[in-house]
Every structure is written in C-alpha cells, then in structure tokens.
C-alpha cells in the first residue's frame, strides 16, 4: 500500500464524519480523531471550511427573510376567533369570561412565562457553553495536555500565586483522576481568560474551568429543585455530547466538563464545589458571597 | 409571542407561498394553545412548537400533494456531479442562496433548515419529523451536498469554476 492510497482512505473516512462534526454530534473520541486529522490535512480542512461557509451563508440568507408584522396580530385573531366559537351558545357572560381567560393565557403564558423560562434556559445554556467551549477547544481540539502529568510545581508556576492553591483542591477532590495540566488560557477572538485544569481517569478527559462572571449570574427563577443545604447551587446540562456542571463562586463561574454520565459528573462537581469556593474566597478579592444557591436543576431539555 | 419568527421563516421555505406559511403558523399556535396542558414546563418550548408545526405541515402536504406536481431533481447525472466537491462563492447574495435552497427537495431542505439554521440536535429533529436518527443524518448529509451543488451553480453563473475531484485528490496526495 502506498502512502497516497492510505491518505485518501483516511480522508474519505474523516469526510464521512464531517457532517456530524459540523453539527457537534460526534463522540468525543471521533471528534478528537477528526480534529487531529484536520490539523494535518489541508484538503480536509479546506473541505470543512467550505461546509461551514455553506452553513453560514444559509443562516444569513434565511434570517434575512422578513417576518411580516401582521403575523402576530393574525395569530391572536385566530386564537380569539377559535375561543369565540368554543364559547358560542354558552351565554355572553361566560363567553366574556372565557375570552378574558384566553387573553390571560395568551399574554401570560405565551409571552411572560414562556419567554422568561426560555430566556432562563438560554441564559443557563449560554453560561454553561463558556465552560464547554474552553473544554472543546483547549482540551479536545488543541489537546493541550501531556500524556504524563506535568509536575505540580510547573503547573503552579503557570497558574501564578493567585490560582496556584486551586491545584491542590482539584487533585484532592477528583478521586481517581490524574491532574495532567493546569494553566490560564483564552479562546481566540475572546478577551475572556480561563483557569483550566485537565484531568484524566481511565481514558476519560475532564476539565475544571473557572472564569470571571463579570456580573452575569445563573437565573434563579429556573431553579425548582432543592438540594441539601450545605451544597452550592449546581446547574447541569448536556450539550454537544458533553455533560457540563456549573456553579457560581464569588466573582467566578466554575465548570466541570466531561463526557461522563450526568450522575457521575454531578457527583464530581458536588465534591469540587465547596473546596473551590473556599479557596477562591481566600485567594481572590470577592464580592459579598451570596450563597443562597441551594438548588440543582437541568439547564434545558436539550440533552 | 415566542419563536414566531423562527417558525414562520422555516415554514416559508417549506410551503409554496407565504400565505400558506402564515396559515400554518396560525394553526400551529392554535394547536399549541389547545394542547398547552401537554407542554411540560422546563422542557424545550421551541422544540415543542416546531414539533406541532411539522405535525400540521404533514397534513397540509398531504392536502397539497393532490393538487401539485412532483418535481424530481435528483437525477443520476446530478448524483454523479455530487461526487465532486464544488466551491461556494465567497460573496453570494442572500437572494441567490434562497433560490438555491428552494431547489433542494423538500425532505432534505427541512432537515437542513432544522439542523443548520435552527440548530436543533439530531435527536430533536428525529422527534420533530418522526423519522429515525439515521435518516436525519443521511438526509442532512445529502441536503447539504445538494445545497452546495446548487450554490456552485450560482458560482458558475458568477463566472467561478467549481472544484474537481481530481484537484481534491491531488491535494490529498
């Protein structure tokens, strides 16, 4: 077999995965295989760019289609009309009451509650995506960790005095995991910095990520389920095949990201949260801690 | 009203004209209101509305099939062309993209819209369209290729040559 046919076959195989890669639907192992191949193959990399371009021009074009202002009014009219039909023959008073109830449902549920819940879900999702993107880019795609764990002193040096104490917490609170790497990183095109720990157990890569909240906060109205009073509020969701848990700690969002099951990841996040919280409060200037976050709730139903 | 614009735009690319799309949206919200008790708070409201819309759309299509002609665009020649991976112009007018989209057969078009524009997961698309996950994947792959092919036609009309399989093979070597 010559190298040409080998490469062609490999490219062919990778290209079969490109659609799912583009939709973030690949398993982590395959994603990593695709990413590694893309780094070394200009042809496939260009092919991916072309596919991304097709998606981008499509998105742009579809969104450019105007939505007539009249639609909203027409929908409301249709709903009222249907309600009038439903209440016909039951007397004016009940009809009027019915209409008022409909208006309340439409205005109340369709706009306020739906929107508020949806906004809450979107907000949780967008916050969790901060951690997800750093994990996918820095750990999965860029593979920024060694096969054998970096010496702790080296990691502490990279983290600087402010964040170095976090290493011990991560090492202690992730039983069975080797902490391979710790550093401060950023995502191209973003000013945001991430304190990023990469750990591994039985071939599973896990990221612990901290980033400044900059005033953002998880929406309290989406929290429904109480957890035990000592724990911090942990939000959790599955996005792009990854399980992500997040919580607030002083000025920071903390995330734990991996392709573990929800139960496994939440267990690790619960173990990490108090230690990280305590250490962050000791080592960094914090705002008054509002530890009224005794809730656990899935971010949205995407998973 | 949540998600109305997303639903309307998607509907407008799947039906023959905008009036049909408007009717479909009205029916969708009416149905949503009637069956609101079935909506589980905290679950994905947007996916739920899309599911209702596609359920209605299915009925509308059955009605329309009786009155419209069927256009088959996936000829063997076209399939052969798809082997090559065509270039897409860097600058392309939205109008031309939408024309290209409308040439893609509707069963592929709807999956591409749900995946690439509305960014639903494969699982959500499978549930919305009531088709198996594998079918979502194959239709998406095919739909994207068809759209790209149509966009390459636009490229040709702009005077840009399409990429050939041979050029691609040379690059791989």
């Amino acid at each position: 077999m010559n190298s040409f046919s080998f490469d062609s076959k490999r490219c062919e195989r990778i290209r079969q995965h490109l659609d799912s890669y583009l939709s973030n639907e690949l398993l982590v192992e395959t994603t990593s295989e695709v990413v590694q191949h893309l780094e070394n193959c200009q042809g496939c990399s260009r092919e991916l760019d072309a596919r991304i371009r097709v998606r981008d021009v499509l998105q742009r074009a579809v969104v450019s289609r105007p939505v007539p202002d009249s639609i909203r009014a027409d929908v409301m009219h249709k709903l009222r009309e249907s309600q009038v039909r439903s209440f016909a023959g039951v007397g004016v008073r009940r009809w009027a009451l019915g209409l008022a109830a409909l208006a309340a449902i439409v205005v109340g549920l369709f706009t306020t509650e739906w929107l508020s819940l949806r906004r809450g879900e979107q907000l949780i999702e967008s916050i969790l995506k901060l951690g997800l993107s750093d994990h996918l880019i820095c750990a999965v795609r860029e593979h920024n960790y060694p096969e054998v764990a970096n010496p702790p002193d080296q990691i502490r040096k990279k983290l600087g005095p402010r964040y170095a104490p976090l290493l011990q917490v991560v090492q202690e609170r992730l039983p069975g995991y080797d902490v391979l790497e710790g550093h401060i990183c950023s995502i191209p095109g973003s000013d945001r910095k991430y304190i990023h720990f990469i750990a591994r157990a039985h071939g599973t890569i896990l990221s612990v990520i901290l980033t400044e909240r900059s005033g953002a906060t998880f929406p309290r109205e989406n929290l429904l389920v109480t957890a035990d009073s000592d724990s911090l509020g942990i939000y959790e969701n599955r996005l792009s095949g990854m399980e992500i848990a997040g919580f607030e700690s002083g000025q920071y969002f903390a995330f734990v990201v991996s392709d573990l099951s929800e139960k496994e990841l939440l267990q690790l996040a619960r173990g990490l949260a108090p230690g990280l919280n305590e250490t962050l409060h000791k080592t960094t200037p914090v705002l008054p801690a509002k530890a009224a976050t005794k809730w656990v709730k899935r971010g949205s139903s995407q998973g | 009203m949540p998600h109305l614009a997303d639903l309307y735009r998607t509907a407008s690319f799947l039906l023959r004209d905008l009036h049909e799309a408007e009717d479909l949206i009205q029916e969708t919200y009416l149905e949503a209101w009637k069956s609101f008790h079935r909506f589980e708070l905290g679950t994905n409201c947007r996916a739920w509305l899309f599911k209702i819309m596609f359920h209605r759309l299915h009925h509308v299509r059955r009605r329309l099939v009786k009155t419209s002609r069927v256009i088959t665009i996936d000829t063997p020649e076209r399939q052969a062309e798809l082997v090559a991976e065509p270039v897409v112009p860097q600058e392309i007018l939205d109008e031309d993209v939408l024309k290209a989209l409308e040439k893609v057969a509707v069963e592929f078009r709807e999956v591409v819209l749900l995946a690439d524009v509305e960014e639903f997961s494969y699982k959500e698309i499978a549930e919305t369209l009531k088709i198996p996950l594998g079918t979502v994947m194959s239709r998406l792959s095919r739909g994207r290729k068809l759209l790209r092919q149509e966009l390459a036609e636009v490229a040709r009309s702009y005077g840009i040559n399409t990429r050939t399989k041979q050029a691609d093979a040379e690059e791989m070597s």
Side-chain angles (χ1 to χ4, degrees):
Chain A
M1 189 190 286
N2 60 34
S3 64
F4 172 74
S5 61
F6 172 78
D7 283 342
S8 295
K9 272 185 186 163
R10 190 158 173 76
C11 290
E12 209 175 300
R13 190 177 127 69
I14 294 296
R15 287 186 188 201
Q16 281 170 357
H17 289 310
L18 283 188
D19 278 311
S20 294
Y21 177 78
L22 198 59
S23 300
N24 267 335
E25 295 271 358
L26 283 182
L27 294 174
V28 179
E29 300 77 30
T30 325
T31 303
S32 148
E33 188 191 339
V34 171
V35 167
Q36 277 180 15
H37 178 83
L38 289 172
E39 277 169 8
N40 301 313
C41 177
Q42 281 196 348
C44 289
S45 184
R46 262 203 284 270
E47 171 59 18
L48 177 69
D49 289 344
R51 292 187 195 199
I52 291 172
R53 197 158 64 244
V54 171
R55 187 184 61 181
D56 290 349
V57 297
L58 176 68
Q59 281 180 348
R60 194 192 62 202
V62 169
V63 173
S64 76
R65 171 159 284 184
V67 178
D69 292 337
S70 59
I71 280 205
R72 190 176 301 268
D74 289 345
V75 170
M76 289 297 285
H77 178 73
K78 182 105 177 170
L79 289 170
R80 283 198 191 99
E81 207 178 43
S82 129
Q83 193 65 5
V84 169
R85 276 201 302 273
S86 311
F87 284 91
V90 293
V92 174
R93 194 181 157 78
R94 282 190 63 189
W95 175 86
L97 280 173
L99 201 59
L102 169 72
I105 288 167
V106 169
V107 175
L109 292 178
F110 273 57
T111 57
T112 317
E113 190 162 351
W114 276 15
L115 276 179
S116 141
L117 279 170
R118 180 62 191 158
R119 277 194 201 119
E121 284 174 8
Q122 282 176 333
L123 183 57
I124 292 170
E125 203 174 302
S126 61
I127 293 172
L128 292 177
K129 274 183 177 169
L130 289 175
L132 174 72
S133 58
D134 190 44
H135 172 72
L136 286 177
I137 293 174
C138 186
V140 177
R141 195 177 82 185
E142 305 287 338
H143 209 278
N144 280 333
Y145 57 87
E147 283 311 304
V148 178
N150 277 330
D153 283 346
Q154 195 183 323
I155 295 178
R156 283 194 199 97
K157 205 173 162 189
K158 283 191 205 174
L159 293 170
R162 194 171 177 186
Y163 301 113
L166 294 168
L167 175 64
Q168 194 184 344
V169 181
V170 176
Q171 281 171 327
E172 285 173 2
R173 303 295 175 102
L174 288 178
Y177 278 79
D178 273 340
V179 181
L180 303 175
E181 169 66 347
H183 57 235
I184 297 174
C185 55
S186 60
I187 289 175
S190 160
D191 295 334
R192 181 173 287 282
K193 299 275 181 237
Y194 299 87
I195 302 129
H196 190 175
F197 295 93
I198 304 174
R200 183 178 58 200
H202 311 296
T204 299
I205 289 293
L206 175 140
S207 285
V208 177
I209 293 157
L210 295 117
T211 188
E212 286 194 21
R213 288 201 288 122
S214 313
T217 182
F218 281 116
R220 300 283 186 269
E221 66 270 24
N222 279 56
L223 305 178
L224 300 168
V225 187
T226 50
D228 60 281
S229 59
D230 292 336
S231 68
L232 288 155
I234 298 174
Y235 293 73
E236 176 276 333
N237 201 354
R238 192 166 189 89
L239 298 163
S240 304
M242 290 286 171
E243 203 67 37
I244 311 142
F247 59 92
E248 288 173 25
S249 176
Q251 291 170 312
Y252 293 84
F253 283 126
F255 306 100
V256 186
V257 194
S258 187
D259 57 339
L260 293 166
S261 71
E262 180 189 337
K263 195 179 159 193
E264 289 169 315
L265 192 92
L266 272 178
Q267 197 178 351
L268 291 174
R270 282 198 183 110
L272 271 165
L276 286 179
N277 195 40
E278 199 184 322
T279 312
L280 277 172
H281 277 73
K282 273 187 208 157
T283 58
T284 58
V286 289
L287 302 169
K290 262 191 163 184
T293 47
K294 15 180 172 170
W295 314 94
V296 177
K297 169 79 176 92
R298 281 191 82 83
S300 82
S301 64
Q302 279 215 0
Chain B
M1 209 162 283
H3 318 304
L4 189 134
D6 292 345
L7 290 161
Y8 171 76
R9 287 196 186 102
T10 305
S12 73
F13 294 109
L14 298 173
L15 286 160
R16 290 177 308 183
D17 62 50
L18 299 181
H19 291 298
E20 283 177 359
E22 284 185 32
D23 286 346
L24 179 66
I25 297 306
Q26 290 179 15
E27 287 171 19
T28 300
Y29 277 89
L30 185 60
E31 185 66 39
W33 175 67
K34 282 179 184 165
S35 56
F36 190 71
H37 59 282
R38 273 185 249 138
F39 174 66
E40 291 168 31
L41 285 181
T43 62
N44 192 337
C45 166
R46 187 161 159 271
W48 181 65
L49 286 169
F50 268 86
K51 209 185 275 184
I52 294 173
M53 184 177 87
F54 274 87
H55 183 71
R56 302 294 315 165
L57 182 63
H58 180 67
H59 290 288
V60 174
R61 275 189 194 144
R62 279 170 59 184
R63 202 167 64 218
L64 293 177
V65 162
K66 293 173 190 165
T67 56
S68 62
R69 66 201 169 93
V70 177
I71 306 164
T72 307
I73 60 160
D74 215 6
T75 60
E77 294 77 30
R78 193 167 197 88
Q79 290 204 5
E81 273 181 53
L82 285 176
V83 175
E85 278 152 354
V87 286
V88 176
Q90 291 284 358
E91 299 297 329
I92 186 163
L93 296 172
D94 290 342
E95 196 184 319
D96 288 330
V97 178
L98 297 184
K99 275 185 198 156
L101 177 67
E102 276 164 17
K103 286 183 186 167
V104 175
V106 73
E107 67 263 38
F108 302 116
R109 197 190 315 154
E110 62 189 14
V111 179
V112 170
L113 282 167
L114 289 175
D116 285 349
V117 181
E118 299 305 328
E119 297 183 335
F120 283 117
S121 68
Y122 287 178
K123 187 168 164 266
E124 285 170 326
I125 298 171
E127 284 168 5
T128 301
L129 299 178
K130 294 183 181 144
I131 55 176
L133 209 67
T135 311
V136 172
M137 290 162 77
S138 58
R139 285 191 190 171
L140 177 61
S141 171
R142 186 108 194 100
R144 281 174 175 167
K145 274 183 193 156
L146 287 165
L147 176 62
R148 192 164 159 190
Q149 187 68 20
E150 292 301 341
L151 291 173
E153 292 288 338
V154 177
R156 279 194 201 105
S157 73
Y158 287 0
I160 303 166
N161 288 325
T162 52
R163 183 175 201 81
T164 63
K165 182 88 175 164
Q166 194 187 351
D168 222 28
E170 280 166 10
E171 215 164 61
M172 283 180 196
S173 61

Coordinates of all heavy atoms in Angstrom, one line a residue, chain A residues 149-172 179-184 195-197 279 283:
Chain A
A149 N 1.4 13.4 33.5 CA 1.1 14.7 34.2 C 2.3 15.6 34.4 O 3.4 15.1 34.7 CB 0.5 14.4 35.6
N150 N 2.0 16.9 34.1 CA 3.1 17.9 34.4 C 3.4 17.9 35.9 O 2.4 17.8 36.7 CB 2.6 19.2 33.9 CG 2.9 19.4 32.4 OD1 3.8 18.9 31.8 ND2 2.0 20.2 31.8
P151 N 4.6 18.2 36.2 CA 4.9 18.3 37.7 C 4.1 19.4 38.3 O 3.9 20.5 37.7 CB 6.4 18.6 37.7 CG 6.9 18.4 36.4 CD 5.8 18.4 35.4
P152 N 3.6 19.2 39.6 CA 2.7 20.2 40.2 C 3.4 21.6 40.3 O 2.7 22.6 40.1 CB 2.6 19.6 41.6 CG 2.7 18.1 41.4 CD 3.7 17.9 40.3
D153 N 4.7 21.6 40.5 CA 5.4 22.9 40.6 C 5.3 23.7 39.3 O 5.1 24.9 39.3 CB 6.9 22.8 41.0 CG 7.0 22.4 42.4 OD1 6.0 22.6 43.2 OD2 8.1 22.0 42.8
Q154 N 5.4 22.9 38.2 CA 5.3 23.6 36.9 C 3.9 24.1 36.7 O 3.7 25.3 36.2 CB 5.6 22.5 35.8 CG 5.9 23.1 34.5 CD 6.2 22.0 33.5 OE1 6.8 21.0 33.8 NE2 5.7 22.2 32.3
I155 N 2.9 23.3 37.1 CA 1.5 23.8 37.0 C 1.3 25.0 37.8 O 0.7 26.0 37.4 CB 0.5 22.7 37.3 CG1 0.7 21.5 36.4 CG2 -0.9 23.2 37.4 CD1 -0.2 20.3 36.7
R156 N 1.8 25.0 39.1 CA 1.6 26.1 40.0 C 2.2 27.4 39.4 O 1.6 28.5 39.5 CB 2.2 25.9 41.3 CG 1.3 24.9 42.2 CD 1.7 24.9 43.6 NE 1.2 23.7 44.2 CZ 1.8 22.6 44.4 NH1 3.1 22.5 44.1 NH2 1.2 21.5 45.0
K157 N 3.3 27.2 38.8 CA 4.0 28.4 38.2 C 3.2 29.0 37.1 O 3.0 30.2 36.9 CB 5.4 27.9 37.6 CG 6.4 29.0 37.5 CD 7.7 28.4 37.1 CE 8.7 29.5 36.6 NZ 9.9 29.0 36.1
K158 N 2.6 28.1 36.2 CA 1.8 28.6 35.1 C 0.5 29.3 35.6 O 0.0 30.2 35.0 CB 1.3 27.4 34.3 CG 2.3 26.8 33.4 CD 1.6 25.9 32.4 CE 2.6 24.8 31.9 NZ 1.9 23.8 31.1
L159 N 0.0 28.8 36.8 CA -1.2 29.4 37.3 C -1.0 30.8 38.0 O -1.9 31.6 38.1 CB -1.9 28.5 38.3 CG -2.4 27.2 37.7 CD1 -2.9 26.2 38.8 CD2 -3.6 27.5 36.8
G160 N 0.3 30.9 38.5 CA 0.5 32.2 39.3 C 0.0 32.0 40.7 O -0.8 31.2 41.0
P161 N 0.5 32.9 41.6 CA 0.2 32.8 43.0 C -1.3 32.8 43.3 O -1.7 32.2 44.3 CB 1.0 34.0 43.6 CG 1.3 34.9 42.5 CD 1.4 34.1 41.3
R162 N -2.0 33.6 42.5 CA -3.4 33.7 42.9 C -4.2 32.4 42.7 O -5.1 32.1 43.5 CB -4.0 34.8 41.9 CG -5.3 35.3 42.3 CD -5.6 36.5 41.4 NE -6.9 37.1 41.7 CZ -7.4 38.0 40.9 NH1 -6.7 38.5 39.9 NH2 -8.6 38.5 41.2
Y163 N -3.9 31.7 41.7 CA -4.7 30.5 41.4 C -4.0 29.2 41.7 O -4.6 28.1 41.7 CB -5.1 30.5 39.9 CG -5.9 31.7 39.5 CD1 -5.4 32.7 38.7 CD2 -7.2 31.9 40.1 CE1 -6.1 33.8 38.3 CE2 -7.9 33.1 39.8 CZ -7.4 34.0 38.9 OH -8.1 35.1 38.6
A164 N -2.7 29.2 42.0 CA -1.9 28.0 42.3 C -2.6 27.1 43.4 O -2.6 25.9 43.3 CB -0.5 28.3 42.7
P165 N -3.1 27.8 44.5 CA -3.7 26.9 45.5 C -4.9 26.1 45.1 O -5.3 25.1 45.7 CB -4.2 28.0 46.6 CG -3.4 29.2 46.3 CD -3.2 29.2 44.9
L166 N -5.5 26.4 43.9 CA -6.6 25.6 43.4 C -6.2 24.2 43.0 O -7.0 23.3 43.0 CB -7.3 26.3 42.2 CG -7.9 27.7 42.5 CD1 -8.3 28.4 41.2 CD2 -9.2 27.4 43.3
L167 N -4.9 24.1 42.6 CA -4.4 22.8 42.1 C -4.6 21.7 43.2 O -5.1 20.6 42.9 CB -2.9 22.9 41.8 CG -2.3 21.6 41.4 CD1 -2.9 21.0 40.1 CD2 -0.8 21.7 41.2
Q168 N -4.3 22.0 44.4 CA -4.4 21.0 45.5 C -5.9 20.6 45.6 O -6.2 19.4 45.8 CB -3.9 21.6 46.8 CG -3.7 20.5 47.8 CD -3.3 21.1 49.2 OE1 -2.9 22.3 49.3 NE2 -3.4 20.3 50.2
V169 N -6.8 21.6 45.5 CA -8.2 21.2 45.7 C -8.7 20.3 44.5 O -9.3 19.3 44.8 CB -9.1 22.5 45.6 CG1 -10.6 22.2 45.7 CG2 -8.7 23.6 46.6
V170 N -8.2 20.6 43.3 CA -8.6 19.8 42.2 C -8.0 18.4 42.4 O -8.7 17.4 42.1 CB -8.2 20.4 40.9 CG1 -8.5 19.5 39.7 CG2 -8.9 21.8 40.7
Q171 N -6.8 18.3 42.8 CA -6.1 17.0 43.0 C -6.9 16.2 44.0 O -7.1 15.0 43.9 CB -4.7 17.2 43.4 CG -3.8 17.5 42.2 CD -2.4 17.9 42.7 OE1 -2.2 18.5 43.7 NE2 -1.4 17.6 41.8
E172 N -7.2 16.8 45.1 CA -7.9 16.1 46.2 C -9.3 15.7 46.0 O -9.8 14.7 46.4 CB -7.8 17.0 47.5 CG -6.4 17.0 48.1 CD -6.3 18.0 49.3 OE1 -7.3 18.6 49.6 OE2 -5.2 18.1 49.8
V179 N -4.3 14.8 37.6 CA -4.4 16.2 37.0 C -3.2 16.4 36.1 O -2.0 16.5 36.6 CB -4.4 17.2 38.1 CG1 -4.5 18.6 37.6 CG2 -5.6 16.9 39.1
L180 N -3.4 16.3 34.8 CA -2.3 16.3 33.8 C -1.8 17.7 33.6 O -0.6 17.9 33.3 CB -2.8 15.8 32.5 CG -3.4 14.4 32.5 CD1 -4.0 14.1 31.1 CD2 -2.4 13.3 32.9
E181 N -2.7 18.7 33.7 CA -2.2 20.1 33.3 C -3.1 21.1 34.0 O -4.3 20.9 34.4 CB -2.4 20.2 31.8 CG -2.3 21.5 31.2 CD -0.9 22.2 31.3 OE1 -0.1 21.6 32.0 OE2 -0.7 23.2 30.6
G182 N -2.5 22.3 34.2 CA -3.3 23.4 34.7 C -2.6 24.7 34.1 O -1.4 24.8 34.1
H183 N -3.4 25.6 33.6 CA -2.9 26.8 33.0 C -4.0 27.8 32.9 O -5.2 27.6 33.2 CB -2.3 26.5 31.6 CG -3.3 25.9 30.7 ND1 -3.1 24.7 30.0 CD2 -4.5 26.2 30.3 CE1 -4.1 24.3 29.3 NE2 -5.0 25.3 29.4
I184 N -3.6 29.0 32.4 CA -4.6 30.0 32.2 C -4.7 30.2 30.7 O -3.6 30.4 30.0 CB -4.2 31.4 32.9 CG1 -4.2 31.1 34.4 CG2 -5.2 32.5 32.5 CD1 -3.7 32.3 35.2
I195 N -9.2 29.7 33.8 CA -8.2 28.9 34.6 C -8.7 27.5 34.3 O -9.8 27.1 34.6 CB -8.3 29.2 36.1 CG1 -8.1 30.7 36.3 CG2 -7.4 28.4 36.9 CD1 -9.1 31.4 37.1
H196 N -7.8 26.7 33.8 CA -8.2 25.4 33.2 C -7.3 24.3 33.7 O -6.1 24.3 33.6 CB -8.0 25.5 31.7 CG -8.6 24.4 30.9 ND1 -8.6 24.3 29.5 CD2 -9.2 23.2 31.3 CE1 -9.2 23.2 29.2 NE2 -9.6 22.5 30.2
F197 N -8.0 23.3 34.4 CA -7.3 22.1 34.8 C -7.8 21.0 33.9 O -9.0 20.9 33.7 CB -7.7 21.8 36.3 CG -7.2 22.8 37.2 CD1 -8.0 23.9 37.6 CD2 -5.9 22.7 37.7 CE1 -7.5 24.8 38.5 CE2 -5.4 23.7 38.6 CZ -6.2 24.7 39.0
T279 N -11.4 28.1 48.5 CA -10.1 28.5 48.1 C -10.2 29.8 47.3 O -9.4 30.8 47.5 CB -9.4 27.5 47.2 OG1 -9.6 26.2 47.9 CG2 -8.0 27.8 47.0
T283 N -8.2 33.3 48.2 CA -7.1 33.8 47.4 C -7.5 35.0 46.5 O -6.6 35.6 46.0 CB -6.6 32.7 46.5 OG1 -7.6 32.3 45.7 CG2 -6.0 31.6 47.3

